[in-house]
Amino acid sequence: MLVIKNLKASIDGKTIIKGISLEVKPGEIHAIMGPNGSGKSTLAAVLAGREFAEVTEGTVTYFGKNLLEMAPEDRAKEGIFLGFQYPIEIPGVSMVNFMKTAVNEQRKHRGLEPLSASDFLKMMREKKELVEIDSKLANRSVNEGFSGGEKKKNEIFQMAMLEPKLAILDETDSGLDIDALRIVANGVNKLKRPDNSVIVITHYQRLLDYIIPDVVHVLYDGRIVKTAGKELALELEEKGYDWIKKDVGENNLK
Amino acid sequence: MEKDQDKIINDVTSGEYKYGFYSDIETERIPKGLNEDIIRTISRKKGEPDWLLEFRLKSFRHWQTMKMPGWANLKIPPINYQDIIYYAAPKQKASAENLDDIDPELKKTFDKLGIPLEEQKHLTGVAVDAVMDSVSVKTTFKEILAESGIIFCSFSDAVKEYPDLVKRYMGTVVPYTDNFFATLNSAVFSDGSFCYIPKGVRCPMELLTYFRINSANTGQFERTLLVADEESYVSYLEGCTAPMRDENQLHAAIVEIIVENNAEVKYSTVQNWYPGDKEGKGGIFNFVTKRGLCRGENSKISWTQIETGSAITWKYPSCILRGDNSTGEFYSVAVTNHHQQADTGTKMIHIGKNTKSTIVSKGISAGQGQNSYRGLVKVLKNATGARNFSQCDSLLLGDKCGAHTFPYIEVDNQTAIVEHEATTSKIGEDQIFYCNQRGISTEDAVGLIVNGYAREVINKLPMEFAVEAQKLLQISLEGSVG
Ligand SMILES: Nc1ncnc2c1ncn2[C@@H]1O[C@H](COP(=O)(O)OP(=O)(O)OP(=O)(O)O)[C@@H](O)[C@H]1O
Ligand SMILES: [Mg+2]
């Protein structure tokens, strides 16, 4: 569904993504790990269409279409969901209103009638249960005054509401206590269908105990420097990134 | 002439301003210009008693000694007061008690504005006084309201039917010498609404006055007088629109409110006069004096305003808190987009003991709009225990617009507590992107974010008005981002 070829992107003239190629097939779960500042969030931002990162080279196709030409809202309507590393607060805008607008925009895109208020509230209730989010959170303004963990849970709740084809979860596990981690991971698993895919960006192996990836990539200095099965995550947990950095260094010398 | 006008309107109608149409209604106009003869003509047309004509003439003579105020943070082009028509009235049989007597074109106009004149068609629970140019064309539910002793009628009818009440209260809160525009209004005012809620009565309906400017080259100078007697309550609403024109039109109104012991008046405005086009051509000059007197103990006045229209707004709905324990509130959202300018705020004058006031002002500037909050909190010597809380927020969309705050605080009593908070923020790109990422377009995202920002004020409006106001905020900011 998603094919990235030799993608390069820069911020303020500085190259951050330095040539990434990656293919995600329907139903796959990919994990992306890598040290701080290596470009994981930037990659996610480029895929979601955030303008501050400028694509300088390469292509991204999504279901055969040129993703890079699509407006961010159209990408969302075509089923791309980004779970933000730092979810944004929108004071005064209720979650209900926000989600209703989003859900109905996406329905419109698919040629469906907007949901009635009662159907919508019913859907909210069901999804809240599914992801075990506190009812009260959904009655407040979007992320306003939410704790770090609550914000992350709220991202998963939105994912449940929007049922994306490709979810990119950027460190949705950081800042979560053990129970919340389980809730978030269970949520992702419950939402998993055979044909939708997930990219999880994480620093911790423990999330991958719950969400079992098909592939693990290591992103380092704007490049994918290693790709392997789920056992790679364990290895990283044990040994850190130094051995990979060394490998890369040696390769670069050649 | 009329044809040309239609063409102009069609040309400038780019979808943003929904109410910019002109109705081809047979209208009686007096000649342009302002002098004592014109004032006598207006008074005669309205069949007024001598004392009112005298009031007008006295005002006019005083006005001639005055200069237009220059202190507001506004660029106002020169106004030629001799180039304005001061009276224009749809031709119809005088005071249409019977709906069949109303020009069908007039009915259609108000239908189009969402303000049907037929009672059965109307939103339940709202009585309407519909004013077109210089006259009131219909007041609905008069009879039902009369059953509880409530008077709700046009100002002209009030002068004829309740001259004593009008004489007793008119000009007591906004004297004819008050300021340039109020004095002008006192000389040439045409219609508006009059409302009296008797002792102990809770008005069972919302009262709405809808002002429509239709005729070209005319100014609208309405006058509204609201009296809430002891232990009474009323929620009063005001809406206004005008056709799109290349010329500027002047709207200079007066609203006076008097509230007795334990009574409460809630006054809500959704101001949507034509704001002018994107280049700043045309639009209404909205120079309005609104003031309420909390005369009784425990009395309360609450102003809520959503100001999205007008090329220039100059408006400070104020409260004189004379009764002990009286309360004044001012909740405002003012939007300026394109070349609109607004200088708006309030005055809270604490005279009585333990008087309280709250000010919440939310300015939104987009395009090259300039938005100023100007507010005075004054605590007099005897106002022991007075309290004020003010919060003035400004939201900027883009970097060509401006937001300014001018808070004035004068305190003459040691026990008073006056708090002022102000913030200025920009609409965040990250907020817009967050919405985009959920499938919401930038335009809709701006609408959502702005409505969220203004929610505290919008929540003060009655339900139907709140929905309307939300849509209006979104529409008035269309094309301001991206
Ligand atoms: N808006 C920005 N302006 C300037 N530099 C930026 C911006 N966003 C990211 N960067 C830089 O790009 C590089 C990659 O950042 P990115 O956020 O993608 O890293 P990351 O892999 O997600 O790191 P972390 O694990 O800490 O979340 C960093 O050096 C960062 O400072
Ligand atoms: Mg990151």
Side-chain angles (χ1 to χ4, degrees):
Chain A
M1 64 167 52
L2 181 75
V3 183
I4 305 173
K5 279 196 186 134
N6 190 32
L7 183 70
K8 293 187 184 169
S10 58
I11 297 174
D12 298 336
K14 190 177 151 226
T15 308
I16 306 288
I17 303 291
K18 302 178 175 170
I20 289 182
S21 297
L22 178 70
E23 177 169 4
V24 180
K25 297 207 175 77
E28 288 183 345
I29 298 180
H30 287 235
I32 297 180
M33 305 183 79
N36 294 133
S38 58
K40 302 180 297 296
S41 295
T42 306
L43 175 63
V46 168
L47 295 178
R50 184 118 207 218
E51 269 164 11
F52 68 79
E54 191 198 346
V55 175
T56 51
E57 229 183 291
T59 58
V60 181
T61 34
Y62 176 68
F63 286 106
K65 280 189 217 159
N66 180 355
L67 185 73
L68 300 177
E69 273 184 354
M70 291 162 72
E73 62 269 31
D74 294 331
R75 301 181 196 201
K77 286 189 265 193
E78 289 288 338
I80 291 183
F81 177 88
L82 174 62
F84 285 65
Q85 182 174 1
Y86 306 107
I88 308 298
E89 302 193 3
I90 311 180
V93 178
S94 69
M95 272 305 293
V96 176
N97 198 6
F98 180 66
M99 272 292 103
K100 201 167 146 208
T101 311
V103 167
N104 284 334
E105 279 302 310
Q106 304 218 358
R107 288 178 66 88
K108 192 159 92 192
H109 184 70
R110 280 181 262 138
L112 299 170
E113 291 287 302
L115 281 180
S116 71
S118 65
D119 283 347
F120 176 77
L121 291 175
K122 192 164 149 247
M123 177 180 174
M124 283 245 332
R125 258 198 315 277
E126 285 166 10
K127 303 293 184 180
K128 270 190 289 199
E129 270 167 36
L130 185 74
V131 298
E132 298 177 55
I133 181 178
D134 190 343
S135 247
K136 276 184 232 121
L137 287 186
N139 294 332
R140 285 170 41 186
S141 296
V142 180
N143 292 323
E144 194 186 18
F146 285 25
S147 76
E150 287 168 343
K151 284 182 183 167
K152 297 301 178 70
K153 280 200 260 182
N154 192 28
E155 294 292 289
I156 298 301
F157 167 66
Q158 293 177 49
M159 175 180 163
M161 292 293 291
L162 297 169
E163 301 178 329
K165 291 186 188 131
L166 173 65
I168 304 162
L169 304 177
D170 191 356
E171 295 198 28
T172 306
D173 56 332
S174 38
L176 293 183
D177 64 36
I178 295 160
D179 288 337
L181 179 71
R182 188 185 41 76
I183 288 171
V184 162
N186 280 345
V188 174
N189 286 332
K190 281 186 208 160
L191 294 168
K192 187 77 192 62
R193 276 189 275 108
D195 57 341
N196 63 18
S197 309
V198 185
I199 298 175
V200 279
I201 296 171
T202 181
H203 286 294
Y204 305 107
Q205 141 68 21
R206 54 169 200 203
L207 177 71
L208 305 178
D209 282 342
Y210 296 99
I211 304 174
I212 317 259
D214 299 295
V215 202
V216 177
H217 308 276
V218 176
L219 188 64
Y220 174 61
D221 191 22
R223 291 185 183 87
I224 290 179
V225 295
K226 204 164 179 59
T227 297
K230 62 173 192 283
E231 59 299 335
L232 176 59
L234 280 170
E235 202 177 345
L236 290 172
E237 181 106 324
E238 224 170 90
K239 303 205 265 181
Y241 290 109
D242 276 358
W243 62 283
I244 287 186
K245 288 183 191 172
K246 245 178 241 154
D247 271 9
V248 176
E250 279 162 19
N251 284 339
N252 279 356
L253 284 179
K254 272 183 215 162
Chain B
M1 173 71 200
E2 308 290 45
K3 273 274 151 335
D4 278 349
Q5 233 161 25
D6 279 351
K7 197 182 156 319
I8 292 166
I9 292 155
N10 284 333
D11 287 349
V12 283
T13 309
S14 46
E16 283 96 343
Y17 188 72
K18 273 204 308 194
Y19 309 99
F21 63 90
Y22 164 76
S23 312
D24 195 356
I25 290 169
E26 246 195 292
T27 302
E28 177 193 1
R29 297 179 183 84
I30 63 170
K32 276 181 186 176
L34 183 55
N35 51 52
E36 292 203 1
D37 280 347
I38 290 281
I39 287 165
R40 284 178 208 281
T41 308
I42 294 171
S43 188
R44 195 170 53 242
K45 292 235 171 260
K46 297 181 115 26
E48 285 175 354
D50 284 348
W51 63 266
L52 198 50
L53 175 61
E54 282 313 310
F55 176 85
R56 287 177 182 279
L57 290 172
K58 184 172 65 177
S59 305
F60 178 63
R61 284 166 201 147
H62 186 71
W63 182 75
Q64 285 173 306
T65 68
M66 298 171 96
K67 274 208 180 69
M68 209 165 111
W71 44 261
N73 187 27
L74 299 168
K75 288 202 186 80
I76 307 174
I79 298 171
N80 182 352
Y81 292 91
Q82 296 304 335
D83 202 30
I84 294 173
I85 296 173
Y86 287 84
Y87 184 88
K91 267 189 199 152
Q92 62 166 33
K93 286 179 201 149
S95 82
E97 284 307 323
N98 191 338
L99 213 58
D100 297 335
D101 294 344
I102 298 181
D103 182 344
E105 196 58 33
L106 207 59
K107 265 192 273 189
K108 242 198 273 169
T109 301
F110 282 98
D111 274 345
K112 230 163 143 179
L113 297 169
I115 310 291
L117 301 179
E118 289 95 332
E119 289 179 0
Q120 61 275 23
K121 264 205 206 168
H122 212 272
L123 304 160
T124 44
V126 185
V128 179
D129 183 18
V131 178
M132 165 91 74
D133 294 329
S134 306
V135 292
S136 161
V137 292
K138 172 80 188 163
T139 310
T140 63
F141 294 111
K142 255 168 130 167
E143 295 75 20
I144 293 179
L145 291 169
E147 281 168 22
S148 29
I150 296 168
I151 302 169
F152 180 48
C153 64
S154 72
F155 200 90
S156 314
D157 286 351
V159 169
K160 290 193 191 104
E161 290 166 38
Y162 314 99
D164 292 345
L165 279 176
V166 174
K167 220 169 164 174
R168 177 156 8 127
Y169 291 108
M170 188 184 79
T172 58
V173 188
V174 181
Y176 76 96
T177 52
D178 195 80
N179 71 72
F180 185 81
F181 297 111
T183 304
L184 175 63
N185 175 291
S186 299
V188 300
F189 72 88
S190 39
D191 234 340
S193 300
F194 175 78
C195 171
Y196 174 80
I197 315 287
K199 248 186 193 171
V201 173
R202 244 190 110 80
C203 184
M205 295 184 191
E206 312 267 0
L207 305 184
L208 166 69
T209 305
Y210 197 92
F211 295 100
R212 175 74 179 169
I213 293 179
N214 189 53
S215 190
N217 304 315
T218 42
Q220 194 175 53
F221 305 90
E222 88 270 1
R223 202 172 173 112
T224 294
L225 179 55
L226 239 101
V227 180
D229 216 328
E230 292 180 13
E231 325 262 336
S232 69
Y233 169 84
V234 64
S235 167
Y236 183 90
L237 322 169
E238 177 192 68
C240 36
T241 57
M244 294 184 176
R245 290 210 172 87
D246 279 357
E247 62 178 32
N248 295 112
Q249 281 180 282
L250 180 61
H251 172 257
I254 289 182
V255 174
E256 291 180 284
I257 303 178
I258 294 109
V259 189
E260 304 288 6
N261 287 343
N262 301 309
E264 178 178 350
V265 172
K266 208 171 134 55
Y267 194 106
S268 312
T269 304
V270 175
Q271 187 267 104
N272 188 23
W273 293 119
Y274 177 52
D277 70 5
K278 286 190 175 120
E279 275 69 51
K281 204 163 193 200
I284 303 290
F285 292 163
N286 189 35
F287 302 146
V288 170
T289 305
K290 292 184 169 180
R291 197 174 301 150
L293 171 63
C294 281
R295 188 151 73 176
E297 285 177 21
N298 295 311
S299 56
K300 179 174 175 184
I301 294 174
S302 184
W303 299 100
T304 305
Q305 59 172 23
I306 309 290
E307 304 280 316
T308 61
S310 298
I312 304 178
T313 296
W314 181 99
K315 180 180 169 189
Y316 315 90
S318 303
C319 299
I320 301 170
L321 304 170
R322 192 194 290 164
D324 289 348
N325 304 308
S326 59
T327 305
E329 293 176 343
F330 174 74
Y331 297 97
S332 167
V333 173
V335 179
T336 51
N337 195 5
H338 304 307
H339 291 267
Q340 281 176 277
Q341 307 175 61
D343 191 304
T344 183
T346 184
K347 284 191 244 176
M348 293 290 176
I349 314 293
H350 293 257
I351 302 173
K353 291 187 177 52
N354 300 314
T355 45
K356 280 197 293 294
S357 63
T358 305
I359 299 171
V360 176
S361 161
K362 304 259 180 185
I364 301 165
S365 317
Q368 309 191 38
Q370 293 295 327
N371 211 325
S372 301
Y373 166 80
R374 186 181 304 276
L376 168 67
V377 176
K378 192 178 172 110
V379 178
L380 274 68
K381 238 202 326 267
N382 294 326
T384 305
R387 292 210 55 160
N388 161 268
F389 174 74
S390 304
Q391 186 186 327
C392 304
D393 297 331
S394 307
L395 184 68
L396 300 170
L397 284 74
D399 46 21
K400 291 200 193 79
C401 52
H404 320 272
T405 42
F406 303 98
Y408 305 90
I409 298 172
E410 297 170 16
V411 178
D412 276 337
N413 185 301
Q414 294 293 326
T415 64
I417 303 175
V418 176
E419 291 170 87
H420 180 90
E421 284 177 12
T423 67
T424 300
S425 50
K426 283 201 156 195
I427 199 159
E429 235 171 276
D430 48 355
Q431 290 176 327
I432 292 176
F433 181 72
Y434 193 71
C435 296
N436 288 159
Q437 212 304 304
R438 302 307 187 234
I440 301 167
S441 69
T442 298
E443 206 121 273
D444 291 346
V446 171
L448 265 180
I449 296 165
V450 166
N451 270 306
Y453 165 79
R455 183 150 89 163
E456 196 182 344
V457 174
I458 290 176
N459 279 349
K460 298 283 169 192
L461 291 172
M463 193 54 171
E464 282 88 4
F465 254 45
V467 174
E468 196 56 38
Q470 275 176 16
K471 282 192 223 143
L472 209 54
L473 276 187
Q474 177 141 0
I475 290 166
S476 60
L477 288 167
E478 257 167 31
S480 60
V481 172

